[in-house]
Amino acid sequence: MFCQSYLGTITKRVNFRQGPSSEFGIINSLNPGSQIFIVSLETENDFYNIINIETNQEGYVHKSFVKIGKL
């Protein structure tokens, strides 16, 4: 199966979480301008499953803090 990933950018400081809600633990925070891969454009609870390009960690951020494509 072909998997499409999308480049994205974080727009405001945001908590990078272990799961798709604010109930999940925080891995760390992402700063504005951080480059991410969006695993899927389908959200869970309005959270995107992403990979932080800098650390190669997978987690979740709220969609309101993500701009799809480069700044």
Side-chain angles (χ1 to χ4, degrees), residues 3-67:
C3 183
Q4 174 76 51
S5 65
Y6 301 87
L7 197 60
T9 307
I10 298 299
T11 59
K12 288 187 179 149
R13 188 166 171 86
V14 62
N15 290 327
F16 184 42
R17 296 190 176 273
Q18 296 169 340
S21 85
S22 58
E23 305 293 311
F24 284 89
I26 298 168
I27 298 168
N28 59 25
S29 293
L30 298 178
N31 290 316
S34 297
Q35 295 284 296
I36 57 169
F37 281 123
I38 302 164
V39 176
S40 170
L41 291 182
E42 290 190 21
T43 60
E44 284 182 72
N45 299 328
D46 291 331
F47 280 72
Y48 282 126
N49 180 203
I50 67 155
I51 296 170
N52 180 355
I53 293 173
E54 192 177 312
T55 63
N56 208 31
Q57 283 183 300
E58 187 171 354
Y60 293 81
V61 293
H62 194 273
K63 69 178 185 179
S64 63
F65 297 96
V66 175
K67 178 181 184 298

